[in-house]
Amino acid sequence: MARYGIVVDVSRCIDCYACFIVCKDEHCGNDFSPIALSQPDKGHFWMKVIENERGEYPKVKANYIAVPCQQCENAPCVYYSENNAVYRRDDGIVIIDPVRAKGQKDIVKSCPYGLIYWNEAENIPQKCTFCAHLLDQGWKQPRCVETCPDGALTFGDLDDPNSEVSKLLASGKAESLHPEYGLNEKVKYIGLPKKFIAGTVVFGDNDECGEGVAVTLVGNGEKRTLKSDNFGDFEFDALSEAKEYTVNVEHPGYKTKKFDVRTDNDVYLGEIILKPAKSR
Amino acid sequence: MSEKICGQNNNGGLTTVHVKDGKIIRVRPRQIDPDDFKPWKITARNGMTFSPPKRLTTDTYGLTEKQRVYSDDRILYPLKRVDFDPKGDRHPETRGKSKYVRISWDEALDIVGSEIKRMWDSYGREAVCSIRGEHCNWGNVNYRLSAFQRFINMIGTTHVVENPDSWEGWHWGATHTYGFYWRLGTIEFYDMLEESLKYTDMVVYWSSDPDAVLGCYSGQESAMWRRWLKEAGVKQVVIDPYYNFTCAHVADKWIAPRPGTDAAMILGMMYVWIKEDTYDKDYIAKRTIGFEEFKKYVVGESDGVPKTPEWAAEKCGVPARTIKAFAREWAAKKVQFWGSGFGGACRTAYGHEYARLAVLLQAMQGLGKPGVSMNGLAGSAPYNYDVIVPGYADPDGMIWLSRAARKQIFPTADQFIYRLKFAEAILNPPIDWRGEGYCTRSLDQQFVNFVYPAPGKSEVHMIYMYGSSFMSTFCNGNEWIKAFQHPKIESVVCQEVFWTNNTRFADVILPACTNFERNDISGFANAGGYVAHGDLPNNYRVACIQQKCIEPLGESKPDYEILALVSERLGLREEFTEGKSIEDWMKGIFDASDLPKYISWEEFNKKSHYVINVPDDYKPKPAMRWFYEGRPCDTPDPANPKKGTDKAHELGTYSGKIEFVSQSLLKHYPDDEERPPIPHYIPSWEGPESELAKKYPLQLITPHPRYSFHTNYDSHSPWLNEIPGHRITKDGYSYLPVSIHPSDALPRGIDNGDIVKVHNDRGGVLCVAKVTQRMRPGTVRTWSSVGRYDPIEPGKPGSIDRGGCMNILTDNRLQSKNASGFAPNSCLVEIRKWEV
């Protein structure tokens, strides 16, 4: 018996929204009882894509995070449903029974990820099913995974160490989107955006880009050094949120600049204009 | 309970369609047996090898076909406008406002047939005007360039000729620098993927967003190529006022010049190279002409204005030090310039100057040297050029010209209306313009003067529209309304699948069905003669049968059949059809291709696709390498007229070389200050240096939509409205998002998610504000060419639109007085919060 999971590689997502559209194509107008009734045309995001924009002009980054039902092992929706309306299959997929769940609006609120939607016409809560109805017919993967143009979504058997999804998990780079919820999700993420500290160094005496300037970052138990590029740009990425760091910018012949920052948000220090050191 | 699986194709790519009990239940990217694929392999500079997976991709909107086919926007029955009586009062003034009544096909065809004949008798053949839009509903037989062209060639009409809208500056400008007029000014771009992986240090996407535009029809094939470049260690830089999709995906650096000032930035970079002596003098001496005179302009000897980085910075808003650093990096590295064709910078005031300078920029570094190249569309994979399969614009792919026809029917029209000047042609004739639109036969074709009405010819009094949605795609949309409502237009017929922006101006509507409701033959992204080898941005070439999935909805009919019925009313059925069905024509096109050598007609119909793999002994022929090396052209560029002659080592310019001083412009327009023989930076008539900027300080750019194919899916596929990058729903209505920087939003009291009015003296459009750091301050951005024109006051020119027709705000002024391109990205606006 397979146990299904998905690994999402955020760096490969190009924001095409094809995963979202084919989920609608599969479910809108199609009744796949007892797995799922038809999805309404509007208002449901069984595959949700969240844009994560960070930084400030002109130092900006954007990532897109695909969020299907996380098929949690400790699923709150299972717990909060009545009448066994929501259950977990042996393959790990969590199903909202379209008959038994009728009228149970509270199930919508039970999901801390906000991935359960209310179908007004059918009077039922609904969510992503990993296209269980297709898998049960022998399909190899859900519609979203089949369609993704560059492999941002990998689906497979978590119990098979040779499956692509298992190999990605074994890399140690995958993490939960919200580990603090403690839900033991079957969807994990590689490349989730963290925080960056960046800046652009300028030589104040000749107004040229400050290339090759040594920039050191210290904080949160780590120290990193790099050199600014030909545009004077530097960037420390994958930093933790809400931590304090010190950034040191120094170059022979110029006065050193020091910044104390806190990564509540991504930090762009802007143009860092180095003034020449006073000659003796 | 019957189930079947069909193969189809459209401008989003190939699909597999599941049909149950006569209804489409799901649409997937085309499913092909992995054994059919023989993926090519490219070894990159760092030793990594890259190969595409054994599958196809389809564009996102191409996966909404189930919704599009059954859309509420479908026209199911022939309709007549209630105020229109062909035997009595026609009431042109209520076009756009009147209601419609259902009529029978017989009645509809009677009206259309008798109106056409009445035009011939009263005014002459040219009184019938043909217009077409419609990139979509693919199929070589039924397509707008095929069945409709055969029909209008047969009856002779005044045709509304298209401008090369996606290529403007390259067509009207770059051609006079490097030739390639047969490619509408896009450079040949053969084997550019391998070039970028093997030899290139840095790829610069200048006013280019391949992740969004996707090679036009090539699904999402090339998205992985940009990831490969990253993995191969190639630096990627994006130049765009907006932090675009490609930027978010792979860019190592984002530079944001003000719209319309790219030419200035290029000149600033050239100045650095000249002063620091970091350009390829040997190439300039051997492969170009006119550099010494051009240099005088750059360094300020000819006009007293040195085009220093500081000068450029003041124009384009990019700091001088950044321009210098970028120029130095460019000179030290081997760079591939992406953006030949497409992009907003070529569709601005004097956009031809930008395109010319872009070519000269790369020329100064030795264009054609390994690693120094220019790329177009979404680039190019290894390709099998030996298997000829006609695309939708190849001679054999169009039933008026194809060898599938017993008798070809050539165009006989000798009166044209230039699409950009359509409204003016109706409202205030005469008009004149230079160049008949797509000037692919010669450079000089651009200089030919046209007038409408042509001498001795009648004005138009009847319009036959084949699709088209110009209210939302062409500048100054309000003027089109007035044109359609003019009394000299006695009747308007629209053959169309959906209610679009133009449909409501028709007197009689003939309902066509989508490609899913008929058979046809085509290929994945195979636009053939429209863009030679337009399927180069695919990972694979695939020829296909488009299999009819369901019966036509309502009383709609395939386009070919409608035209046959209209022909019948004119006594011309046999001439139009040659007694052939759609399937007969499909077989004829198949027989005219190389496909019969590889697959039988029966097998092809059964399987519905044939993958044309790249041969094992494939040898890349990188674009422009032959020119750099001074030998005859060896790329497969089919329409290059010098290939195979003793001038085969030359480019398509007068001199055969890259021209810093354009010889064609020098000969024909030596005193044209707007498109001079030496390319200049010329401030836009509607840009940051204009007087108008005091009243309307924000520059509006409107690139090609990412989540729709122009008007073809937006509005017909409401699922797309749920994609926040496409539309944002507020108070139950789905508006276009307009990206605006916080420094522009805050002083205007605009918050993220507010409904705002984007406006200028030409009109106003309601959008929802997306306050973002991805926007250059002083510039705002939203999509062009939406599918829904939704005026608050229907039929009234000047009404505020909610649908998102931003072109209402753009001037239809041509790029310059002799260059008949449009300039929608030179548009100044203001934005205010909209109080309901």
Side-chain angles (χ1 to χ4, degrees), chain B residues 661-680:
Chain B
V661 179
S662 165
Q663 301 303 295
S664 34
L665 295 179
L666 186 63
K667 178 171 176 199
H668 292 273
Y669 297 112
D671 305 313
D672 185 349
E673 283 171 3
E674 297 182 354
R675 189 178 51 168
I678 292 178
H680 278 45

Side-chain angles (χ1 to χ4, degrees), chain A residues 6 44 47 51 64 67 82 99-100 107 110 114 124 131 144 148 191-192 196 208 219 225 237 248 256 265 278 280:
Chain A
I6 287 180
H44 281 217
M47 169 59 94
E51 180 183 358
Y64 310 95
V67 192
E82 290 167 13
V99 174
R100 294 201 296 273
I107 293 175
S110 70
I124 50 166
C131 290
C144 52
C148 178
L192 283 175
F196 69 71
E208 294 277 7
T225 307
D237 204 353
N248 219 54
T256 298
N265 287 311
K278 283 195 179 69
R280 290 205 190 85

Side-chain angles (χ1 to χ4, degrees), chain B residues 589-637:
Chain B
I589 291 172
F590 172 84
D591 288 338
S593 76
D594 282 341
L595 285 172
K597 297 183 204 165
Y598 303 95
I599 188 169
S600 72
W601 177 240
E602 291 67 36
E603 178 73 14
F604 190 40
N605 270 280
K606 188 157 155 260
K607 217 170 150 165
S608 91
H609 51 250
Y610 179 71
V611 180
I612 303 165
N613 284 305
V614 176
D616 292 326
D617 59 353
Y618 179 78
K619 287 201 176 22
K621 305 246 174 71
M624 295 296 277
R625 184 82 85 247
W626 54 274
F627 178 71
Y628 168 73
E629 292 176 356
R631 44 181 181 80
C633 173
D634 62 352
T635 61
D637 193 13

Side-chain angles (χ1 to χ4, degrees), chain A residues 15-16 25 43 53 146 150, chain B residues 28 60 66 227 707 722 772:
Chain A
D15 192 28
C16 74
D25 175 69
E53 176 189 305
E146 175 185 83
D150 196 24
Chain B
R28 303 158 72 185
T60 303
K66 185 170 91 176
R227 171 175 60 83
Y707 299 108
E722 308 262 276
T772 171

